[in-house]
Amino acid sequence: MIFYFSGTGNSLYAAQTIARKQNEPLVSISAALASGQDQLEYNLMEQERIGFVFPIHAWGPPQMVLDFIGKLKLNGYKKNYVFAVATCGGNIGNTMKLMDACLKKNGLTLDGQFSIIMPNNYIIMGDVDTKTREQEKLIEAENVLKTINQQVAERMHGEFGLVKGFLPWMLTGVINPMFRKNAMSTSKFFVQDDRCSGCGICEKVCNCRTIQVNGKPEWGKACSQCLACVHYCPSKAIQYGKGTEKKGRYTHPQLTFKDMMQS
Ligand SMILES: Cc1cc2nc3c(=O)[nH]c(=O)nc-3n(C[C@H](O)[C@H](O)[C@H](O)COP(=O)(O)O)c2cc1C
């Protein structure tokens, strides 16, 4: 069973590729959390592999992934092979330590740890990659995915090619908590009325179901900062603060907003 979370399609594409190859069902973390249940129960087949595929958000897993694991109940878990795949624009810090600790709390052991560099979608600081770099990353990601699929098929234990960056303890131990504390709000999102057609795509791709389009989008309080609303808006009408208007937009080229629809 492959559980995934994705804002702009990189992690969904990786999760789909792995699920297809391993012949495992794919489960959306965002859709599962939207059920509002305190406990999220799944029945495992014998020997079933359990995977978590998600983007890096400030050198940690998205909060929704951690919330999901906290509610997860896997019926029939008998030391099944558990693995995590983080997609990132550059590096992941000590994300896997956070994943390991979170899974342990729920009685699960993280056996295989993987990361894949994919095109960057964090345009609040920095920008999207150039088209050339985006292409390079997507081609290399295919190779990495093939290797991961072989390692997962063989249930290999350990860390495999994790790109942790410089001072990973600081990235995850210091910057990630600051991000969680200060950057999770919707207060800086706004829509440029002259560009917005009211198409409703932002509402449909929102992982937190926080957007309601009544002619124009309105944001509630909850937010995962996945930036799906910003990147999937077909008229580039959604901005975050002053910094995103002149920045590029990115969505995985093999998926459309329909693949990302949450409702
Ligand atoms: C809020 C946020 C924070 C991010 N932080 C990091 C980071 O710390 N390191 C990194 O390499 N990429 C970072 N990224 C880039 C994404 O991890 C990367 O583009 C990922 O593949 C996107 O996956 P998705 O398309 O499934 O959402 C960040 C993206 C967002 C939206």
Side-chain angles (χ1 to χ4, degrees):
M1 194 167 294
I2 312 293
F3 300 108
Y4 77 91
F5 179 91
S6 185
T8 55
N10 287 346
S11 310
L12 174 56
Y13 179 78
Q16 283 177 341
T17 308
I18 295 167
R20 221 175 286 130
K21 183 78 185 167
Q22 309 297 332
N23 201 16
E24 294 286 357
L26 201 52
V27 176
S28 160
I29 287 178
S30 154
L33 284 172
S35 71
Q37 289 165 347
D38 291 338
Q39 196 166 59
L40 297 163
E41 265 188 72
Y42 300 89
N43 298 326
L44 293 177
M45 312 265 278
E46 211 172 313
Q47 297 289 309
E48 184 163 357
R49 296 169 181 83
I50 303 156
F52 298 88
V53 186
F54 56 86
I56 292 297
H57 284 178
W59 298 287
Q63 185 58 46
M64 287 178 86
V65 173
L66 300 175
D67 292 346
F68 175 77
I69 294 170
K71 294 182 169 189
L72 188 58
K73 183 162 182 261
L74 294 174
N75 298 323
Y77 172 74
K78 286 185 200 136
K79 293 282 166 208
N80 294 55
Y81 179 72
V82 177
F83 67 98
V85 179
T87 76
C88 66
N91 49 61
I92 72 165
N94 277 339
T95 292
M96 290 302 168
K97 286 199 173 161
L98 295 184
M99 280 298 285
D100 187 39
C102 183
L103 287 162
K104 268 205 183 91
K105 264 196 207 157
N106 204 346
L108 302 168
T109 309
L110 181 57
D111 300 311
Q113 307 176 14
F114 308 91
S115 64
I116 316 175
I117 296 180
M118 294 186 84
N120 180 45
N121 69 356
Y122 194 51
I123 58 166
I124 292 175
M125 281 179 194
D127 205 342
V128 294
D129 296 300
T130 61
K131 278 285 157 203
T132 313
R133 184 73 190 114
E134 183 185 307
Q135 274 311 310
E136 283 170 4
K137 282 183 169 183
L138 288 169
I139 291 167
E140 184 52 24
E142 290 294 339
N143 295 330
V144 176
L145 263 169
K146 263 191 205 133
T147 308
I148 292 175
N149 258 326
Q150 282 162 5
Q151 289 161 325
V152 167
E154 291 168 26
R155 299 169 202 270
M156 286 175 69
H157 285 54
E159 292 181 6
F160 298 96
L162 295 186
V163 272
K164 295 187 186 178
F166 183 59
L167 300 179
W169 62 268
M170 193 182 74
L171 300 174
T172 302
V174 180
I175 301 178
N176 181 264
M178 280 161 50
F179 170 82
R180 279 164 200 278
K181 191 161 173 247
N182 304 314
M184 301 297 288
S185 145
T186 54
S187 61
K188 289 192 182 165
F189 286 104
F190 67 95
V191 66
Q192 291 173 300
D193 285 346
D194 53 331
R195 291 190 189 176
C196 175
S197 66
C199 69
I201 290 177
C202 52
E203 179 178 323
K204 295 190 177 99
V205 298
C206 176
N207 273 299
C208 276
R209 291 158 176 76
T210 211
I211 300 177
Q212 285 204 331
V213 177
N214 302 308
K216 307 282 173 203
E218 289 163 8
W219 281 261
K221 283 212 162 69
C223 183
S224 68
Q225 290 285 317
C226 71
L227 302 187
C229 57
V230 172
H231 289 283
Y232 278 102
C233 174
S235 48
K236 248 184 118 178
I238 296 182
Q239 310 297 341
Y240 183 93
K242 291 184 184 146
T244 56
E245 192 179 346
K246 295 202 168 71
K247 305 274 180 75
R249 299 294 189 266
Y250 167 79
T251 57
H252 193 282
Q254 294 194 44
L255 299 175
T256 72
F257 82 87
K258 289 189 181 148
D259 299 303
M260 307 297 294
M261 271 171 35
Q262 303 296 340
S263 52

